[in-house]
Amino acid sequence: MKFSKTVCIWLFAMSVMVMGGTALAEQGSSALLHGLWSEAELAGTPADHLVTRPYSKPADLSPPDRVQPLVQPGFTPQRLRGVIRRVKIADGEKVLALTFDLCERASNRTGYRTEIVNHLRRRGVAATFFAGGKWMRSHPMQTMQLMADPLFEFGNHSWTHANLALMDEEETREQVLWTQGQYETLREKLALLAASRGLEGQMSHVPESMAVFRLPYGRNSAATLDYLARMGLPVVQWDVLGEGGAGSARDVALRAVKEVRPGSIVLMHANAVPKLTHEIVPIFVDELQRQGWSFVTVSGLLALGEAEAVQDGYFEKPGDNTQFDTGYPGKGTLHPVYGRK
Ligand SMILES: [Zn+2]
């Protein structure tokens, strides 16, 4: 029973890849995912959506178990330097990368909108999750499920949502490398789980490290890009705001659909902080699939064309995010003082 279900899902995933005309980079294993968790476990519960109130507890400043990752990627190649906003696709193929940030500051614990992930799984939609290291630590099971899933890629979103424009090299390295270390620790835990079910052979499909980075608040200095290049992590932002503007979920989703171009990178969140994302995603995804678009991970997209990069991150226009340099204490890692109750 379990085997046939696994085969069906595998065949479905393969057909999606073939239909989409784009091979997915290896980043997980259906046999591993479905060998470790039942459909009900993957579906999650409403308790997953809980976001705790900032300052209900003292800020969590504790480091991860592993502060120095074992895997050290080389330098970022020149073609992937700068702040990447989209990828130029030579033949105009209708392909895009959908991304979800899993942000978590030191001052609270955020959630996980399982409906989003469930919809992506149902539709065979690839995506990249840029996770905070502290989010991974507070959501170990969900992290391991995403890690095992062949549709999904992980990227690094700093340890506690740091504004890197305000941080020096040592602080930046800590924010980035702690998160790489947390990924490794949970990958090792996943390997133990896999071994307990005789699935250790599947672990070779799970990347040993994260290979892309997203700037919290889209903020950086020139030096930030230098530090990240030396840590071997290309910086990937977006050219389409998937949750932007006013109106219903349908209004927002269809507006975002119109903004998508071949090679676009779309920003959304799966940490249950933006309130409409789980309603936007099904409308956005289904409409693009109806129009013949295919979804790849960020790494998959970077392999398809030439990265278009700028020197400073922003939301829609250069300089539209500098206000984040004030108001968030701890260099971005804590909620605004006015949120204190
Ligand atoms: Zn974020």
Side-chain angles (χ1 to χ4, degrees):
M1 178 68 185
K2 190 151 223 167
F3 177 72
S4 65
K5 192 201 286 173
T6 303
V7 169
C8 284
I9 289 162
W10 182 79
L11 286 172
F12 174 67
M14 288 303 288
S15 66
V16 167
M17 282 187 248
V18 172
M19 281 189 305
T22 311
L24 295 175
E26 196 167 71
Q27 61 214 346
S29 147
S30 197
L32 182 60
L33 181 70
H34 296 284
L36 295 182
W37 292 284
S38 68
E39 293 296 327
E41 286 166 334
L42 291 174
T45 71
D48 295 325
H49 308 162
L50 183 72
V51 177
T52 66
R53 207 159 50 85
Y55 303 105
S56 57
K57 288 181 184 170
D60 182 355
L61 304 175
S62 61
D65 291 342
R66 180 171 299 167
V67 295
Q68 195 61 47
L70 303 179
V71 179
Q72 305 278 350
F75 292 100
T76 302
Q78 204 60 42
R79 68 176 194 87
L80 298 177
R81 297 280 177 100
V83 176
I84 297 168
R85 291 189 59 85
R86 60 185 303 278
V87 172
K88 207 179 285 172
I89 305 291
D91 61 1
E93 186 189 346
K94 289 166 91 171
V95 60
L96 76 152
L98 182 52
T99 70
F100 295 91
D101 292 358
L102 294 163
C103 323
E104 187 169 291
R105 297 183 182 86
S107 40
N108 79 338
R109 178 188 187 277
T110 60
Y112 180 61
R113 286 293 331 198
T114 46
E115 309 98 305
I116 294 172
V117 183
N118 293 339
H119 192 78
L120 301 178
R121 286 186 175 127
R122 270 196 299 275
R123 296 288 189 265
V125 167
T128 300
F129 290 82
F130 286 97
K134 180 171 164 282
W135 186 93
M136 290 185 185
R137 185 174 67 181
S138 60
H139 299 79
M141 196 60 77
Q142 290 91 343
T143 301
M144 289 190 289
Q145 289 169 352
L146 290 172
M147 232 180 237
D149 197 313
L151 284 172
F152 305 137
E153 170 187 42
F154 261 113
N156 184 323
H157 196 40
S158 84
W159 179 251
T160 40
H161 214 259
N163 182 335
L164 296 184
L166 307 178
M167 289 196 161
D168 64 20
E169 180 164 14
E170 197 182 324
E171 292 167 319
T172 301
R173 286 180 63 81
E174 190 171 89
Q175 282 284 331
V176 174
L177 297 182
W178 285 12
T179 305
Q180 296 292 99
Q182 183 63 52
Y183 177 96
E184 289 182 1
T185 305
L186 285 172
R187 189 185 181 280
E188 287 165 14
K189 200 172 166 194
L190 178 65
L192 288 175
L193 265 179
S196 74
R197 306 279 176 92
L199 293 164
E200 57 271 31
Q202 297 297 321
M203 283 304 295
S204 61
H205 303 291
V206 180
E208 292 186 346
S209 185
M210 294 182 285
V212 282
F213 182 85
R214 173 162 286 166
L215 300 162
Y217 311 98
R219 292 291 294 138
N220 66 286
S221 67
T224 306
L225 300 184
D226 192 39
Y227 307 149
L228 287 163
R230 278 192 262 145
M231 287 184 270
L233 290 169
V235 177
V236 180
Q237 301 300 112
W238 55 79
D239 68 330
V240 175
L241 294 178
E243 302 149 323
S248 67
R250 186 164 189 82
D251 296 337
V252 175
L254 296 181
R255 210 160 44 228
V257 164
K258 285 201 191 107
E259 287 178 23
V260 168
R261 295 184 285 157
S264 275
I265 299 169
V266 181
L267 168 69
M268 296 209 200
H269 293 76
N271 63 347
V273 174
K275 295 298 173 216
L276 287 181
T277 312
H278 64 288
E279 295 176 29
I280 294 168
V281 167
I283 302 167
F284 180 79
V285 159
D286 293 5
E287 177 58 20
L288 285 170
Q289 284 194 325
R290 195 186 66 77
Q291 294 181 14
W293 289 81
S294 57
F295 294 81
V296 292
T297 59
V298 158
S299 293
L301 192 68
L302 290 171
L304 290 177
E306 184 191 331
E308 282 188 25
V310 292
Q311 288 311 302
D312 291 297
Y314 55 87
F315 281 81
E316 290 178 286
K317 293 188 176 66
D320 68 2
N321 54 348
T322 51
Q323 77 274 16
F324 291 111
D325 292 359
T326 51
Y328 286 85
K331 301 188 180 180
T333 65
L334 298 168
H335 282 78
V337 172
Y338 54 76
R340 196 184 293 265
K341 288 197 176 73

